[in-house]
Amino acid sequence: MRLKVNNIEFAYNSTPVLENISMELDRSEVLGIVGPNGTGKSTLIRCIDRILKPQQGTILLDEHDITNMKQMDIARKMGYVPQSTTRVFPASVIDTVLMGRRPHLGWKSSEEDMDKVLEILELLGIMEFAMKDFNEISGGQQQKVLIARALAQEADILLLDEPTSNLDIRHQLEVMEIMKNVVKKKGISAVMAIHDLNLASRYTDRILMMNEGRIFATGDPASVLTIENIKHAYGVEVLVKSDGERPYIIPLRPIN
Amino acid sequence: MKAKHSLVTKEEVKEQYNKFVGRKFFFIFFFSVLVVIISGISTSLGSADISIWDAYSAILHKFFPNYFESDWLADACVWNLRLPRILMGIVAGIGLGVAGSVMQAILRNPLASPYTLGISSGAGFGASLAILAGAGIVSGKYLIIGNAFVFSLLCSFIILGLSSRKGATPETMILAGIAMMYLFGAMTTILQYFGEAEAVKEAVFWMVGDLDRSSWPKLTLITGALVCCIPLLIIKSWDLNVMGAGDETATSLGVNVKRTRIVTMVVATLLVACIVCFTGTIGFIGLVAPHLTRLAIGGDNRFVLPVSGLLGAVLLISADLVARNIIAPVILPVGAVTAFMGAPLFLYMIMRRGREYW
């Protein structure tokens, strides 16, 4: 078991956001977190990476409690891909990805670090933007750069916060394909918060559906993405079709 | 995925990247040479007639007496009068340029300057208190300097203390800084309101900032501060890069954001306070030098810090050269001249830059 979350609770000031969350992540597994806006998906991901500290519960990373780990050691094991980043000051794409090497090096980057970065840029097909400024490229390309940075971290687990939320349909599919491929190729695991239920269905091994800060349902896509569950969690009437393996969700109308 | 990668090869990217890094080293070299040249010109200009070569030779005579000649006049003029002032300009410029780039990086704000944390208002109040009321922390000839130093740190540490309770985010720091600026500014105004005309004039002149009060002991002190503070900041410059991507990303990359922000702030503040208490508030350089630097070499703080420091020195000694000679024998306050020369240059660079962001 790569990652084990036991009964965590988190509150901003005194408003509870997460209650009683437990989950596990296996080797080479892609776990999707779905649920309505404001349900605590992003908060859960930030708690796992100790960007936020839960008030209760434990998070075990390869059997180690992360509250006793150094931030730098956590960074060698887990990479975080934020929804989007706005930089105030310029940074080239290549320098942005090179920052992913931070947990592995001190002040100076070596030739070897550079080679690793170039390899990742090639893997994600963004080599041609290497010398461009991060702020100059499109949202879809930026998302790939952020994933590249997390890959440069050489972490075993990637945490992605709605990686497809600002992207057109082609970039959505490209990003999800990239994730599927790197998980398979590098034997890493991924947790991603995701809005699009159809993308979640197609590209994740297991889904965790949240509602109002709690886990509402968990299991493989077919067992979680049912008419009943979606109606309950989202208040939406849907049709669920299936191609035999994965469910497809067709939204109909909100329920009053 | 489309097989687009073939358009650009790894080797090409590597070559371009190395060229880019080479460009950054070139600017370090270029500005270093420029500092030496402008210092030479500046040393030769003044009421006593000394040529540039006499000036260089008088400087080198001290180190290599066998190889370089010097006469009494040049020696006295250069070593006692002009060199302390010019060297003061160099170290103050370096300190302000480095501190400015650190403040902007750490607060992720293009409007931040070495004075964002209230150093100038604190120093201004401390100096006014000494000049107008004669009261202060230390007595004697160090009254003004001591007061300016202590109050600038006091003001900054109040801001740091308050904002670290709220997680030390850039926004709280900047807003707390502005609040303290008004508070100390108001206290200075009250002091001036009740002050004697001559003393008020002196206090105002102090705040504009100049290099007239330069001397070898003061220079030694500031150089000491530079030698202690700048390496610390340069060591942290890679973390400053990472923090430029946002606090969350920096945390996920293993950087202790809150601690790094406070440590670098304290170091930069100390550095600036050491300079300001001797020179008065020469403000503009710390704001402009980092921006001009980023326009030239991009935003990698490992290079922005040193280049911005050198550029700060170039700007300050050029401004001083003008201030001393434009309507000689009157010496204009260098703080005002820096803004006079720097503002149009800065505006021009802003208008012609190719991008919308910093």
Side-chain angles (χ1 to χ4, degrees):
Chain A
M1 208 58 59
R2 275 280 161 78
L3 179 74
K4 205 171 154 108
V5 174
N6 287 323
N7 278 315
I8 61 164
E9 295 200 18
F10 181 84
Y12 282 112
N13 297 322
S14 55
T15 318
V17 183
L18 298 176
E19 288 176 86
N20 205 9
I21 302 272
S22 296
M23 55 165 263
E24 285 174 354
L25 182 71
D26 233 331
R27 198 165 280 272
S28 282
E29 185 182 38
V30 179
L31 175 72
I33 302 177
V34 303
N37 285 335
T39 203
K41 303 186 292 287
S42 301
T43 307
L44 174 57
I45 283 193
R46 286 174 208 172
C47 281
I48 294 175
D49 204 18
R50 219 180 65 183
I51 294 169
L52 297 173
K53 289 176 184 117
Q55 279 85 5
Q56 269 184 38
T58 54
I59 295 164
L60 300 179
L61 182 60
D62 290 327
E63 329 265 276
H64 295 290
D65 189 337
I66 64 162
T67 41
N68 304 326
M69 289 172 75
K70 284 190 188 144
Q71 197 72 44
M72 202 59 92
D73 291 327
I74 297 176
R76 290 194 192 102
K77 299 209 164 211
M78 282 198 283
Y80 169 72
V81 182
Q83 242 181 70
S84 62
T85 310
T86 42
R87 291 196 65 97
V88 181
F89 299 117
S92 66
V93 164
I94 199 160
D95 278 332
T96 304
V97 179
L98 204 53
M99 283 175 205
R101 300 299 301 156
R102 175 67 185 91
H104 301 277
L105 49 87
W107 188 77
K108 202 175 163 300
S109 53
S110 68
E111 190 77 15
E112 195 193 329
D113 292 310
M114 179 52 71
D115 287 335
K116 277 182 179 154
V117 166
L118 289 172
E119 211 164 282
I120 291 162
L121 292 179
E122 192 166 51
L123 178 74
L124 301 198
I126 46 175
M127 189 70 102
E128 57 187 304
F129 308 118
M131 294 305 294
K132 282 242 169 82
D133 198 275
F134 181 81
N135 287 342
E136 282 172 4
I137 59 179
S138 76
Q141 291 154 359
Q142 285 185 350
Q143 194 65 47
K144 289 183 193 170
V145 173
L146 296 181
I147 292 174
R149 183 176 65 202
L151 288 175
Q153 237 170 302
E154 294 186 318
D156 302 325
I157 298 171
L158 292 187
L159 306 166
L160 298 97
D161 193 357
E162 290 174 19
T164 58
S165 54
N166 300 318
L167 309 186
D168 65 38
I169 190 164
R170 181 181 172 92
H171 280 102
Q172 288 182 12
L173 291 170
E174 278 185 9
V175 163
M176 295 306 269
E177 287 285 335
I178 284 170
M179 284 312 301
K180 195 171 120 184
N181 291 337
V182 292
V183 164
K184 212 194 295 175
K185 215 169 175 173
K186 298 189 179 263
I188 59 178
S189 316
V191 179
M192 55 172 97
I194 191 160
H195 264 306
D196 189 315
L197 297 177
N198 284 312
L199 284 179
S201 168
R202 270 200 65 184
Y203 289 102
T204 61
D205 301 311
R206 212 150 50 85
I207 289 181
L208 191 141
M209 186 181 271
M210 289 178 66
N211 192 21
E212 293 177 350
R214 293 167 177 276
I215 294 177
F216 179 69
T218 175
D220 61 50
S223 70
V224 173
L225 299 174
T226 62
I227 296 174
E228 271 307 303
N229 282 347
I230 293 170
K231 185 171 158 189
H232 197 102
Y234 290 88
V236 165
E237 203 178 315
V238 296
L239 273 182
V240 177
K241 303 264 183 190
S242 177
D243 64 352
E245 194 187 352
R246 305 261 173 173
Y248 285 85
I249 289 93
I250 300 156
L252 296 177
R253 64 187 72 83
I255 303 164
N256 292 316
Chain B
M1 263 186 291
K2 276 184 278 185
K4 268 185 182 172
H5 345 143
S6 50
L7 283 177
V8 189
T9 66
K10 278 186 198 175
E11 282 65 35
E12 280 169 18
V13 170
K14 226 176 192 173
E15 201 186 303
Q16 281 178 36
Y17 187 77
N18 289 337
K19 225 184 229 169
F20 190 44
V21 172
R23 185 185 153 94
K24 296 173 190 179
F25 278 112
F26 167 76
F27 270 100
I28 293 182
F29 174 75
F30 176 70
F31 285 133
S32 306
V33 173
L34 214 55
V35 166
V36 175
I37 293 173
I38 297 174
S39 303
I41 297 171
S42 193
T43 315
S44 70
L45 292 174
S47 47
D49 191 25
I50 299 168
S51 77
I52 295 183
W53 301 119
D54 289 342
Y56 280 121
S57 150
I59 294 168
L60 292 167
H61 173 72
K62 205 83 165 181
F63 301 104
F64 311 102
N66 299 335
Y67 298 98
F68 296 95
E69 306 245 317
S70 179
D71 58 59
W72 174 85
L73 176 69
D75 208 62
C77 221
V78 166
W79 282 94
N80 296 337
L81 297 173
R82 294 178 191 168
L83 214 48
R85 183 190 182 97
I86 291 160
L87 289 177
M88 187 79 138
I90 294 175
V91 290
I94 292 177
L96 293 170
V98 171
S101 50
V102 169
M103 293 285 184
Q104 289 175 5
I106 209 91
L107 296 173
R108 285 195 295 272
N109 192 315
L111 299 176
S113 80
Y115 300 138
T116 305
L117 288 189
I119 299 169
S120 62
S121 32
F125 174 72
S128 300
L129 196 64
I131 297 168
L132 294 160
I137 313 295
V138 288
S139 57
K141 62 175 180 169
Y142 293 111
L143 179 66
I144 300 175
I145 295 169
N147 251 15
F149 184 74
V150 170
F151 278 94
S152 61
L153 288 187
L154 180 74
C155 188
S156 313
F157 287 154
I158 292 174
I159 296 165
L160 279 170
L162 288 175
S163 56
S164 69
R165 287 175 64 96
K166 278 278 169 197
T169 61
E171 294 77 13
T172 32
M173 280 192 180
I174 289 169
L175 290 173
I178 289 173
M180 292 305 281
M181 191 187 85
Y182 277 108
L183 180 64
F184 278 79
M187 294 197 292
T188 309
T189 309
I190 298 283
L191 276 177
Q192 291 179 343
Y193 188 77
F194 290 108
E196 302 281 331
E198 268 308 305
V200 170
K201 191 176 163 194
E202 196 192 332
V204 170
F205 278 1
W206 187 92
M207 278 187 267
V208 173
D210 62 45
L211 298 170
D212 283 348
R213 291 156 287 186
S214 311
S215 70
W216 287 105
K218 290 175 183 174
L219 193 58
T220 319
L221 268 170
I222 299 187
T223 311
L226 235 60
V227 170
C228 296
C229 295
I230 291 181
L232 266 169
L233 294 172
I234 290 189
I235 287 170
K236 286 281 170 199
S237 58
W238 182 246
D239 284 350
L240 297 189
N241 284 351
V242 175
M243 282 168 69
D247 285 3
E248 291 188 353
T249 299
T251 308
S252 78
L253 287 167
V255 175
N256 186 333
V257 173
K258 192 175 160 183
R259 199 180 64 197
T260 307
R261 183 166 286 135
I262 293 196
V263 168
T264 43
M265 279 295 189
V266 169
V267 174
T269 302
L270 273 172
L271 178 60
V272 177
C274 284
I275 295 167
V276 168
C277 68
F278 292 117
T279 62
T281 50
I282 306 172
F284 204 55
I285 286 178
L287 176 73
V288 180
H291 283 297
L292 296 178
T293 302
R294 273 188 293 264
L295 285 168
I297 64 161
D300 186 344
N301 288 304
R302 289 174 296 173
F303 293 95
V304 170
L305 263 59
V307 174
S308 171
L310 290 168
L311 181 57
V314 169
L315 290 174
L316 190 49
I317 57 176
S318 323
D320 183 54
L321 193 154
V322 173
R324 284 195 298 130
N325 295 294
I326 192 161
I327 48 167
V330 177
I331 299 176
L332 292 172
V334 75
V337 176
T338 341
F340 255 121
M341 289 166 56
L345 173 71
F346 192 37
L347 285 173
Y348 170 75
M349 296 298 279
I350 294 173
M351 297 319 283
R352 57 151 282 190
R353 84 201 144 109
R355 52 178 190 248
E356 284 302 305
Y357 53 90
W358 291 100

